[in-house]
Amino acid sequence: MGLTDEEIDRPLIGIANSYNELIPGHIHLDKITQAAAAGVRLAGGTPLQFGVIGVCDGLAMHHQGMKYSLPSRELIADSVEVMAMAQPFDGLVLVASCDKIVPGMLMAALRLDIPAILISGGPMLAGRFQGQEVDLISVFEGVGAVRAGRLSEDQLRELSECACPGCGSCAGMFTANSMNCLSEALGLALPGNGTIPAVAAARYRLAKEAGMKLMELVGRQITPRQIATLEAFRNAIAVDMALGCSTNTVLHVPAIAREADIDLPLDLFNQVSERTPNLAKLSPAGAHHLEDLDRAGGVPAVMKTLLDGGLLSGAPLTVTGATVADNLARVRVLDEGVIRPLERAYHKEGGIAILRGNLAPEGAVVKQSAVAPEMLVNEGTARVFDSEEAATEAILGRKITPGDIIVIRYEGPKGGPGMREMLTPTSAIAGMGLDKEVALLTDGRFSGGTRGAAIGHISPEAAEGGPIALVQEGDRIRIDIPAKTLTLLVEEAELARRRQAWQPPEPKIKHGYAARYSRLVSSGSRGAVCL
């Protein structure tokens, strides 16, 4: 390997490099990794790289590939564990960017509990189309707009060529950027990790600083479990609510906490949400993008607002080596048009709500900050589909009408398998102008780019005989997001009769990793972790 004795005598630092040529958010991570390695060397360590897989959810959307996206999180965590145990490192730099890679690496960090720091590749800049800022979700919604006659195919082609102008994780507050922002709030990444654009020189400086800071953590033996305490997770959930992050955080944050033997019940999200106002409207909920949040002061400015309002703890330690309060001492909001003060919050509650009821006894999740006011309380007629493809065909075929509530089932962690994201049907609904008239319920999950009355993670899932398996075409369903309820308006005696007649479905995939995953995975209400 060409290592000198001096290099071998230094602390050996594993650098988990998730660079590949498949993901826009990862296409530049070779350079980010080099910068992180330079930081390690500058501080007296020896960096040793190893590879980690990554899936692009945008490319995996609406085909069999999406069945492998969430399951890849477990493979990523396991592979980092294997490398760190087989070749024991003194510390880890985790280089990630996109949806399942970030939580997978954080799970490994908490599992291993050796000094570790996360550095992401940063968010993509927004594109511009017809004088407006656009992003990946604009393209997905454009498909529905073409079908509705609101956009031509030539315009859609033009939009698709400018919506994603360069490297980085997709420009809105989707899952990747949500998790990168929450890694800051949790204390396992440096300030700026979630928002400094991928193309900025500051991103490379941050990667070098992460490498240098990791060496300080090694010297002081500060490990992830000393940082990611229950108090720190509460902070992360508060930032989640203030920013209106992706509903996928409700899967990933408990899964990360579980690795530190911390139990985060779903109800904790509602408890924090009820006292944490929504301070930012980022795409898909609003017009702002991550570059705007960065200019406004980034995650530290949001945390400072919450800290000053008594809604955040300043006590937890962070990878800076200092506490949250110390990190925020000189921070201020630079643009109140992007990060609103508490007294002018967009909503008095946070961006995410957990719903329960006879249709979701173990819970369901909705990004309430992205729901139109007229859809917060809604009663409609069930239109039932046993797959995402069948529902999408009906939506694009104009077979869905105002007042319908689309039910997509057998797409949960076990039934999917893999709990596919439903960005294609939700984008079709929005693109066709139905997002203020049609709701969608599923035991699958949604992209962070989803907007509208889209309620996911319904648990227990259909494949386990959950109530969603008993819904029939024409049933009435009531959604009351302010009251946190989801109700199937069918008599219990009738549901009991249907339950007696229900038969578990045949597995959709019977061989390989997805089949093994479906046998091991837990409910979405428990983070869809493999037990």
Side-chain angles (χ1 to χ4, degrees), residues 466-524:
I468 191 173
L470 310 179
V471 182
Q472 293 183 359
E473 188 85 5
D475 285 348
R476 299 289 289 177
I477 295 173
R478 181 170 176 79
I479 300 166
D480 191 334
I481 294 173
K484 311 291 193 295
T485 59
L486 184 60
T487 309
L488 177 60
L489 300 175
V490 175
E491 294 292 333
E492 183 54 43
E494 171 60 17
L495 292 178
R497 186 190 66 78
R498 294 180 188 179
R499 195 172 288 113
Q500 284 287 333
W502 179 79
Q503 295 291 325
E506 282 287 314
K508 294 178 183 176
I509 297 178
K510 299 179 181 180
H511 305 286
Y513 176 61
R516 294 199 303 276
Y517 176 86
S518 69
R519 292 193 294 268
L520 296 172
V521 70
S522 70
S523 165

Short mmCIF file of all heavy atoms in Angstrom, two decimals, residues 466-524:
data_model
loop_
_atom_site.label_atom_id
_atom_site.label_comp_id
_atom_site.label_asym_id
_atom_site.label_seq_id
_atom_site.Cartn_x
_atom_site.Cartn_y
_atom_site.Cartn_z
N GLY A 466 -53.20 -5.19 8.37
CA GLY A 466 -53.65 -3.93 8.95
C GLY A 466 -54.97 -3.48 8.36
O GLY A 466 -55.39 -3.93 7.29
N PRO A 467 -55.67 -2.55 9.03
CA PRO A 467 -56.99 -2.12 8.55
C PRO A 467 -57.00 -1.58 7.13
O PRO A 467 -58.02 -1.66 6.45
CB PRO A 467 -57.37 -1.03 9.56
CG PRO A 467 -56.65 -1.40 10.81
CD PRO A 467 -55.35 -1.99 10.36
N ILE A 468 -55.86 -1.06 6.64
CA ILE A 468 -55.83 -0.56 5.27
C ILE A 468 -56.11 -1.68 4.27
O ILE A 468 -56.60 -1.45 3.17
CB ILE A 468 -54.48 0.14 4.96
CG1 ILE A 468 -54.56 0.90 3.62
CG2 ILE A 468 -53.32 -0.82 5.01
CD1 ILE A 468 -53.35 1.76 3.33
N ALA A 469 -55.83 -2.94 4.67
CA ALA A 469 -56.12 -4.08 3.80
C ALA A 469 -57.61 -4.34 3.68
O ALA A 469 -58.05 -5.04 2.76
CB ALA A 469 -55.42 -5.34 4.33
N LEU A 470 -58.40 -3.77 4.58
CA LEU A 470 -59.83 -4.05 4.63
C LEU A 470 -60.67 -2.99 3.91
O LEU A 470 -61.88 -3.16 3.76
CB LEU A 470 -60.30 -4.16 6.09
CG LEU A 470 -59.48 -5.09 6.99
CD1 LEU A 470 -60.05 -5.07 8.40
CD2 LEU A 470 -59.44 -6.50 6.43
N VAL A 471 -60.04 -1.91 3.48
CA VAL A 471 -60.78 -0.84 2.81
C VAL A 471 -61.30 -1.34 1.47
O VAL A 471 -60.59 -2.03 0.72
CB VAL A 471 -59.88 0.40 2.60
CG1 VAL A 471 -60.67 1.53 1.94
CG2 VAL A 471 -59.28 0.87 3.92
N GLN A 472 -62.54 -0.98 1.14
CA GLN A 472 -63.15 -1.37 -0.14
C GLN A 472 -63.53 -0.12 -0.93
O GLN A 472 -63.78 0.94 -0.36
CB GLN A 472 -64.38 -2.25 0.09
CG GLN A 472 -64.06 -3.61 0.67
CD GLN A 472 -65.27 -4.51 0.82
OE1 GLN A 472 -66.41 -4.12 0.50
NE2 GLN A 472 -65.06 -5.72 1.30
N GLU A 473 -63.54 -0.28 -2.24
CA GLU A 473 -63.95 0.80 -3.14
C GLU A 473 -65.29 1.36 -2.70
O GLU A 473 -66.24 0.63 -2.45
CB GLU A 473 -64.04 0.26 -4.56
CG GLU A 473 -64.27 1.30 -5.63
CD GLU A 473 -62.99 1.95 -6.13
OE1 GLU A 473 -61.89 1.52 -5.71
OE2 GLU A 473 -63.08 2.88 -6.94
N GLY A 474 -65.35 2.68 -2.56
CA GLY A 474 -66.60 3.33 -2.19
C GLY A 474 -66.76 3.60 -0.70
O GLY A 474 -67.67 4.35 -0.31
N ASP A 475 -65.90 3.01 0.14
CA ASP A 475 -65.95 3.33 1.58
C ASP A 475 -65.71 4.82 1.78
O ASP A 475 -65.04 5.49 0.99
CB ASP A 475 -64.87 2.56 2.35
CG ASP A 475 -65.20 1.08 2.54
OD1 ASP A 475 -66.36 0.69 2.28
OD2 ASP A 475 -64.29 0.33 2.94
N ARG A 476 -66.23 5.34 2.88
CA ARG A 476 -65.97 6.73 3.22
C ARG A 476 -64.84 6.81 4.26
O ARG A 476 -64.75 5.99 5.19
CB ARG A 476 -67.22 7.39 3.80
CG ARG A 476 -68.40 7.41 2.84
CD ARG A 476 -68.18 8.39 1.69
NE ARG A 476 -68.25 9.77 2.12
CZ ARG A 476 -68.03 10.81 1.32
NH1 ARG A 476 -67.69 10.62 0.04
NH2 ARG A 476 -68.12 12.05 1.78
N ILE A 477 -63.96 7.79 4.06
CA ILE A 477 -62.81 7.99 4.94
C ILE A 477 -62.80 9.44 5.39
O ILE A 477 -63.05 10.35 4.59
CB ILE A 477 -61.50 7.65 4.22
CG1 ILE A 477 -61.45 6.15 3.87
CG2 ILE A 477 -60.28 8.03 5.07
CD1 ILE A 477 -60.27 5.75 3.02
N ARG A 478 -62.50 9.65 6.67
CA ARG A 478 -62.42 11.01 7.18
C ARG A 478 -60.99 11.30 7.65
O ARG A 478 -60.40 10.53 8.41
CB ARG A 478 -63.40 11.22 8.34
CG ARG A 478 -63.36 12.64 8.89
CD ARG A 478 -64.50 12.91 9.87
NE ARG A 478 -64.40 14.23 10.47
CZ ARG A 478 -64.77 15.37 9.88
NH1 ARG A 478 -65.29 15.33 8.66
NH2 ARG A 478 -64.66 16.54 10.50
N ILE A 479 -60.46 12.41 7.15
CA ILE A 479 -59.13 12.89 7.52
C ILE A 479 -59.31 14.17 8.33
O ILE A 479 -59.99 15.10 7.89
CB ILE A 479 -58.29 13.19 6.27
CG1 ILE A 479 -58.12 11.93 5.40
CG2 ILE A 479 -56.94 13.77 6.64
CD1 ILE A 479 -57.58 12.22 4.01
N ASP A 480 -58.72 14.22 9.52
CA ASP A 480 -58.76 15.43 10.34
C ASP A 480 -57.35 15.66 10.87
O ASP A 480 -56.97 15.17 11.94
CB ASP A 480 -59.76 15.27 11.48
CG ASP A 480 -60.03 16.60 12.21
OD1 ASP A 480 -59.14 17.47 12.17
OD2 ASP A 480 -61.11 16.75 12.80
N ILE A 481 -56.56 16.40 10.09
CA ILE A 481 -55.16 16.61 10.45
C ILE A 481 -55.01 17.43 11.74
O ILE A 481 -54.21 17.08 12.60
CB ILE A 481 -54.38 17.21 9.26
CG1 ILE A 481 -54.34 16.19 8.12
CG2 ILE A 481 -52.97 17.62 9.68
CD1 ILE A 481 -53.74 16.71 6.82
N PRO A 482 -55.77 18.52 11.93
CA PRO A 482 -55.65 19.24 13.21
C PRO A 482 -55.94 18.37 14.43
O PRO A 482 -55.32 18.53 15.48
CB PRO A 482 -56.67 20.37 13.07
CG PRO A 482 -56.79 20.60 11.60
CD PRO A 482 -56.65 19.23 10.99
N ALA A 483 -56.89 17.44 14.29
CA ALA A 483 -57.23 16.54 15.40
C ALA A 483 -56.36 15.30 15.44
O ALA A 483 -56.50 14.46 16.33
CB ALA A 483 -58.71 16.13 15.31
N LYS A 484 -55.47 15.15 14.42
CA LYS A 484 -54.52 14.03 14.34
C LYS A 484 -55.25 12.68 14.21
O LYS A 484 -54.85 11.69 14.81
CB LYS A 484 -53.58 13.99 15.56
CG LYS A 484 -52.92 15.31 15.92
CD LYS A 484 -51.91 15.73 14.90
CE LYS A 484 -51.02 16.87 15.38
NZ LYS A 484 -51.74 18.13 15.62
N THR A 485 -56.33 12.65 13.42
CA THR A 485 -57.10 11.41 13.29
C THR A 485 -57.27 11.01 11.83
O THR A 485 -57.31 11.85 10.92
CB THR A 485 -58.50 11.53 13.92
OG1 THR A 485 -59.23 12.59 13.30
CG2 THR A 485 -58.39 11.79 15.42
N LEU A 486 -57.38 9.70 11.61
CA LEU A 486 -57.60 9.10 10.30
C LEU A 486 -58.59 7.96 10.50
O LEU A 486 -58.27 6.95 11.13
CB LEU A 486 -56.28 8.58 9.74
CG LEU A 486 -56.29 8.00 8.32
CD1 LEU A 486 -56.75 9.04 7.31
CD2 LEU A 486 -54.91 7.48 7.95
N THR A 487 -59.80 8.12 9.97
CA THR A 487 -60.90 7.22 10.32
C THR A 487 -61.55 6.60 9.09
O THR A 487 -61.94 7.32 8.16
CB THR A 487 -61.97 7.98 11.12
OG1 THR A 487 -61.36 8.68 12.21
CG2 THR A 487 -63.02 7.01 11.67
N LEU A 488 -61.67 5.28 9.09
CA LEU A 488 -62.44 4.56 8.09
C LEU A 488 -63.87 4.48 8.61
O LEU A 488 -64.13 3.87 9.66
CB LEU A 488 -61.85 3.17 7.88
CG LEU A 488 -62.57 2.24 6.91
CD1 LEU A 488 -62.65 2.83 5.51
CD2 LEU A 488 -61.89 0.87 6.88
N LEU A 489 -64.81 5.09 7.89
CA LEU A 489 -66.19 5.20 8.37
C LEU A 489 -66.99 3.96 8.00
O LEU A 489 -67.97 3.99 7.24
CB LEU A 489 -66.83 6.46 7.79
CG LEU A 489 -66.13 7.77 8.16
CD1 LEU A 489 -66.76 8.95 7.43
CD2 LEU A 489 -66.15 7.99 9.67
N VAL A 490 -66.56 2.83 8.58
CA VAL A 490 -67.21 1.54 8.37
C VAL A 490 -67.44 0.91 9.74
O VAL A 490 -66.57 0.98 10.61
CB VAL A 490 -66.34 0.61 7.49
CG1 VAL A 490 -66.96 -0.77 7.37
CG2 VAL A 490 -66.13 1.23 6.11
N GLU A 491 -68.62 0.32 9.93
CA GLU A 491 -68.94 -0.29 11.22
C GLU A 491 -67.93 -1.38 11.58
O GLU A 491 -67.46 -2.12 10.71
CB GLU A 491 -70.35 -0.88 11.19
CG GLU A 491 -71.46 0.15 11.05
CD GLU A 491 -71.60 1.02 12.29
OE1 GLU A 491 -71.23 0.55 13.38
OE2 GLU A 491 -72.05 2.18 12.15
N GLU A 492 -67.65 -1.50 12.89
CA GLU A 492 -66.67 -2.49 13.35
C GLU A 492 -67.10 -3.91 13.01
O GLU A 492 -66.27 -4.77 12.70
CB GLU A 492 -66.45 -2.35 14.86
CG GLU A 492 -65.39 -3.27 15.42
CD GLU A 492 -64.04 -3.17 14.71
OE1 GLU A 492 -63.60 -2.04 14.41
OE2 GLU A 492 -63.43 -4.22 14.42
N ALA A 493 -68.41 -4.18 13.04
CA ALA A 493 -68.89 -5.52 12.71
C ALA A 493 -68.58 -5.87 11.25
O ALA A 493 -68.20 -7.01 10.94
CB ALA A 493 -70.39 -5.62 12.96
N GLU A 494 -68.71 -4.89 10.36
CA GLU A 494 -68.40 -5.11 8.96
C GLU A 494 -66.89 -5.32 8.77
O GLU A 494 -66.46 -6.18 8.00
CB GLU A 494 -68.88 -3.94 8.11
CG GLU A 494 -68.43 -3.94 6.66
CD GLU A 494 -68.88 -5.15 5.86
OE1 GLU A 494 -69.81 -5.86 6.29
OE2 GLU A 494 -68.29 -5.39 4.77
N LEU A 495 -66.08 -4.54 9.51
CA LEU A 495 -64.63 -4.72 9.43
C LEU A 495 -64.22 -6.09 9.93
O LEU A 495 -63.33 -6.73 9.37
CB LEU A 495 -63.92 -3.62 10.22
CG LEU A 495 -64.02 -2.20 9.66
CD1 LEU A 495 -63.31 -1.22 10.59
CD2 LEU A 495 -63.44 -2.11 8.26
N ALA A 496 -64.89 -6.58 10.97
CA ALA A 496 -64.60 -7.91 11.50
C ALA A 496 -64.91 -8.98 10.46
O ALA A 496 -64.17 -9.96 10.31
CB ALA A 496 -65.39 -8.16 12.78
N ARG A 497 -66.01 -8.79 9.73
CA ARG A 497 -66.37 -9.75 8.67
C ARG A 497 -65.31 -9.75 7.58
O ARG A 497 -64.90 -10.81 7.11
CB ARG A 497 -67.74 -9.38 8.09
CG ARG A 497 -68.27 -10.40 7.08
CD ARG A 497 -69.49 -9.88 6.35
NE ARG A 497 -69.16 -8.73 5.50
CZ ARG A 497 -68.56 -8.83 4.32
NH1 ARG A 497 -68.18 -10.02 3.85
NH2 ARG A 497 -68.31 -7.75 3.60
N ARG A 498 -64.87 -8.57 7.19
CA ARG A 498 -63.84 -8.47 6.15
C ARG A 498 -62.51 -9.08 6.63
O ARG A 498 -61.79 -9.71 5.87
CB ARG A 498 -63.61 -7.00 5.76
CG ARG A 498 -64.81 -6.33 5.09
CD ARG A 498 -64.49 -4.88 4.75
NE ARG A 498 -65.66 -4.15 4.28
CZ ARG A 498 -65.65 -2.86 3.94
NH1 ARG A 498 -64.52 -2.17 4.00
NH2 ARG A 498 -66.76 -2.26 3.54
N ARG A 499 -62.23 -8.88 7.90
CA ARG A 499 -60.98 -9.40 8.45
C ARG A 499 -60.96 -10.94 8.40
O ARG A 499 -59.94 -11.56 8.13
CB ARG A 499 -60.81 -8.91 9.89
CG ARG A 499 -59.41 -9.09 10.46
CD ARG A 499 -59.26 -8.40 11.81
NE ARG A 499 -59.23 -6.94 11.69
CZ ARG A 499 -60.18 -6.14 12.14
NH1 ARG A 499 -61.25 -6.63 12.73
NH2 ARG A 499 -60.07 -4.84 11.99
N GLN A 500 -62.09 -11.53 8.65
CA GLN A 500 -62.20 -12.99 8.60
C GLN A 500 -61.93 -13.51 7.19
O GLN A 500 -61.36 -14.59 7.01
CB GLN A 500 -63.61 -13.43 9.04
CG GLN A 500 -63.85 -13.38 10.54
CD GLN A 500 -63.13 -14.49 11.29
OE1 GLN A 500 -62.86 -15.55 10.74
NE2 GLN A 500 -62.79 -14.23 12.55
N ALA A 501 -62.33 -12.74 6.18
CA ALA A 501 -62.19 -13.18 4.79
C ALA A 501 -60.83 -12.85 4.19
O ALA A 501 -60.47 -13.37 3.13
CB ALA A 501 -63.29 -12.54 3.94
N TRP A 502 -60.05 -12.00 4.87
CA TRP A 502 -58.76 -11.55 4.30
C TRP A 502 -57.73 -12.67 4.31
O TRP A 502 -57.63 -13.46 5.25
CB TRP A 502 -58.23 -10.37 5.12
CG TRP A 502 -56.90 -9.85 4.63
CD1 TRP A 502 -56.67 -9.04 3.57
CD2 TRP A 502 -55.61 -10.15 5.19
NE1 TRP A 502 -55.32 -8.81 3.43
CE2 TRP A 502 -54.65 -9.46 4.41
CE3 TRP A 502 -55.18 -10.93 6.27
CZ2 TRP A 502 -53.28 -9.54 4.68
CZ3 TRP A 502 -53.81 -11.01 6.53
CH2 TRP A 502 -52.88 -10.30 5.75
N GLN A 503 -56.97 -12.75 3.24
CA GLN A 503 -55.87 -13.71 3.12
C GLN A 503 -54.57 -12.97 2.84
O GLN A 503 -54.55 -12.04 2.02
CB GLN A 503 -56.13 -14.70 1.97
CG GLN A 503 -57.33 -15.61 2.20
CD GLN A 503 -57.08 -16.61 3.32
OE1 GLN A 503 -55.96 -17.08 3.50
NE2 GLN A 503 -58.14 -16.92 4.07
N PRO A 504 -53.47 -13.34 3.50
CA PRO A 504 -52.20 -12.67 3.21
C PRO A 504 -51.78 -12.88 1.76
O PRO A 504 -52.00 -13.97 1.21
CB PRO A 504 -51.20 -13.33 4.17
CG PRO A 504 -51.93 -14.38 4.90
CD PRO A 504 -53.36 -14.38 4.50
N PRO A 505 -51.22 -11.87 1.13
CA PRO A 505 -50.83 -11.98 -0.27
C PRO A 505 -49.54 -12.78 -0.45
O PRO A 505 -48.74 -12.92 0.49
CB PRO A 505 -50.61 -10.52 -0.69
CG PRO A 505 -50.16 -9.86 0.57
CD PRO A 505 -50.90 -10.54 1.69
N GLU A 506 -49.33 -13.27 -1.64
CA GLU A 506 -48.05 -13.89 -1.98
C GLU A 506 -46.96 -12.81 -2.03
O GLU A 506 -47.21 -11.69 -2.47
CB GLU A 506 -48.13 -14.56 -3.36
CG GLU A 506 -48.85 -15.89 -3.37
CD GLU A 506 -48.01 -16.99 -2.73
OE1 GLU A 506 -46.80 -17.09 -3.04
OE2 GLU A 506 -48.56 -17.72 -1.89
N PRO A 507 -45.74 -13.12 -1.57
CA PRO A 507 -44.65 -12.13 -1.67
C PRO A 507 -44.43 -11.71 -3.12
O PRO A 507 -44.46 -12.55 -4.03
CB PRO A 507 -43.44 -12.88 -1.12
CG PRO A 507 -44.00 -13.99 -0.28
CD PRO A 507 -45.30 -14.36 -0.93
N LYS A 508 -44.21 -10.41 -3.33
CA LYS A 508 -43.98 -9.90 -4.68
C LYS A 508 -42.59 -10.26 -5.20
O LYS A 508 -42.38 -10.40 -6.40
CB LYS A 508 -44.20 -8.39 -4.71
CG LYS A 508 -45.64 -7.97 -4.44
CD LYS A 508 -45.76 -6.46 -4.44
CE LYS A 508 -47.17 -6.02 -4.10
NZ LYS A 508 -47.29 -4.55 -4.00
N ILE A 509 -41.63 -10.36 -4.28
CA ILE A 509 -40.27 -10.77 -4.63
C ILE A 509 -39.91 -11.94 -3.73
O ILE A 509 -40.00 -11.84 -2.51
CB ILE A 509 -39.27 -9.61 -4.46
CG1 ILE A 509 -39.62 -8.45 -5.41
CG2 ILE A 509 -37.84 -10.09 -4.74
CD1 ILE A 509 -38.72 -7.25 -5.28
N LYS A 510 -39.48 -13.04 -4.33
CA LYS A 510 -39.28 -14.26 -3.55
C LYS A 510 -37.82 -14.67 -3.40
O LYS A 510 -37.51 -15.64 -2.71
CB LYS A 510 -40.06 -15.41 -4.20
CG LYS A 510 -41.57 -15.14 -4.24
CD LYS A 510 -42.33 -16.29 -4.89
CE LYS A 510 -43.82 -15.99 -4.94
NZ LYS A 510 -44.60 -17.07 -5.56
N HIS A 511 -36.91 -13.93 -4.05
CA HIS A 511 -35.50 -14.31 -4.00
C HIS A 511 -34.65 -13.06 -3.80
O HIS A 511 -35.05 -11.95 -4.11
CB HIS A 511 -35.08 -15.00 -5.30
CG HIS A 511 -35.92 -16.19 -5.64
ND1 HIS A 511 -35.83 -17.40 -4.98
CD2 HIS A 511 -36.89 -16.35 -6.59
CE1 HIS A 511 -36.70 -18.24 -5.49
NE2 HIS A 511 -37.35 -17.64 -6.46
N GLY A 512 -33.44 -13.27 -3.29
CA GLY A 512 -32.48 -12.19 -3.20
C GLY A 512 -32.67 -11.30 -1.98
O GLY A 512 -33.42 -11.60 -1.06
N TYR A 513 -31.98 -10.16 -2.02
CA TYR A 513 -31.94 -9.27 -0.86
C TYR A 513 -33.31 -8.73 -0.48
O TYR A 513 -33.66 -8.68 0.71
CB TYR A 513 -30.98 -8.10 -1.13
CG TYR A 513 -30.96 -7.09 0.00
CD1 TYR A 513 -30.58 -7.47 1.28
CD2 TYR A 513 -31.36 -5.77 -0.21
CE1 TYR A 513 -30.58 -6.56 2.33
CE2 TYR A 513 -31.36 -4.85 0.83
CZ TYR A 513 -30.98 -5.25 2.10
OH TYR A 513 -30.99 -4.35 3.14
N ALA A 514 -34.11 -8.32 -1.46
CA ALA A 514 -35.43 -7.75 -1.13
C ALA A 514 -36.31 -8.77 -0.42
O ALA A 514 -37.08 -8.41 0.47
CB ALA A 514 -36.11 -7.24 -2.40
N ALA A 515 -36.20 -10.04 -0.80
CA ALA A 515 -36.98 -11.08 -0.13
C ALA A 515 -36.51 -11.26 1.31
O ALA A 515 -37.33 -11.39 2.24
CB ALA A 515 -36.87 -12.40 -0.89
N ARG A 516 -35.20 -11.24 1.53
CA ARG A 516 -34.68 -11.35 2.90
C ARG A 516 -35.11 -10.15 3.73
O ARG A 516 -35.51 -10.29 4.89
CB ARG A 516 -33.15 -11.47 2.89
CG ARG A 516 -32.62 -12.74 2.25
CD ARG A 516 -31.17 -13.02 2.66
NE ARG A 516 -30.27 -11.92 2.34
CZ ARG A 516 -29.69 -11.74 1.15
NH1 ARG A 516 -29.94 -12.58 0.16
NH2 ARG A 516 -28.86 -10.73 0.95
N TYR A 517 -35.03 -8.98 3.14
CA TYR A 517 -35.42 -7.75 3.83
C TYR A 517 -36.88 -7.82 4.27
O TYR A 517 -37.21 -7.48 5.41
CB TYR A 517 -35.19 -6.56 2.90
CG TYR A 517 -35.65 -5.22 3.45
CD1 TYR A 517 -34.80 -4.47 4.26
CD2 TYR A 517 -36.89 -4.71 3.14
CE1 TYR A 517 -35.20 -3.24 4.75
CE2 TYR A 517 -37.31 -3.47 3.63
CZ TYR A 517 -36.46 -2.74 4.44
OH TYR A 517 -36.86 -1.52 4.92
N SER A 518 -37.75 -8.29 3.39
CA SER A 518 -39.18 -8.33 3.72
C SER A 518 -39.46 -9.27 4.90
O SER A 518 -40.42 -9.07 5.64
CB SER A 518 -40.00 -8.75 2.49
OG SER A 518 -39.77 -10.09 2.16
N ARG A 519 -38.63 -10.28 5.07
CA ARG A 519 -38.82 -11.21 6.19
C ARG A 519 -38.32 -10.63 7.52
O ARG A 519 -38.77 -11.04 8.59
CB ARG A 519 -38.11 -12.54 5.91
CG ARG A 519 -38.72 -13.34 4.77
CD ARG A 519 -38.20 -14.77 4.73
NE ARG A 519 -36.78 -14.84 4.41
CZ ARG A 519 -36.29 -14.98 3.17
NH1 ARG A 519 -37.13 -15.03 2.14
NH2 ARG A 519 -34.99 -15.05 2.96
N LEU A 520 -37.38 -9.68 7.46
CA LEU A 520 -36.73 -9.17 8.66
C LEU A 520 -37.22 -7.80 9.10
O LEU A 520 -37.05 -7.42 10.25
CB LEU A 520 -35.21 -9.08 8.42
CG LEU A 520 -34.47 -10.39 8.18
CD1 LEU A 520 -33.03 -10.11 7.76
CD2 LEU A 520 -34.49 -11.27 9.42
N VAL A 521 -37.84 -7.04 8.19
CA VAL A 521 -38.11 -5.63 8.46
C VAL A 521 -39.30 -5.45 9.41
O VAL A 521 -40.26 -6.21 9.39
CB VAL A 521 -38.34 -4.86 7.14
CG1 VAL A 521 -39.66 -5.26 6.47
CG2 VAL A 521 -38.27 -3.35 7.35
N SER A 522 -39.20 -4.40 10.22
CA SER A 522 -40.27 -4.06 11.16
C SER A 522 -41.25 -3.09 10.51
O SER A 522 -41.08 -2.66 9.36
CB SER A 522 -39.67 -3.41 12.41
OG SER A 522 -39.16 -2.11 12.11
N SER A 523 -42.25 -2.70 11.25
CA SER A 523 -43.27 -1.77 10.78
C SER A 523 -42.67 -0.39 10.50
O SER A 523 -41.67 0.01 11.10
CB SER A 523 -44.35 -1.65 11.86
OG SER A 523 -45.18 -0.54 11.64
N GLY A 524 -43.33 0.33 9.61
CA GLY A 524 -42.94 1.72 9.37
C GLY A 524 -43.05 2.56 10.63
O GLY A 524 -42.31 3.53 10.80
#
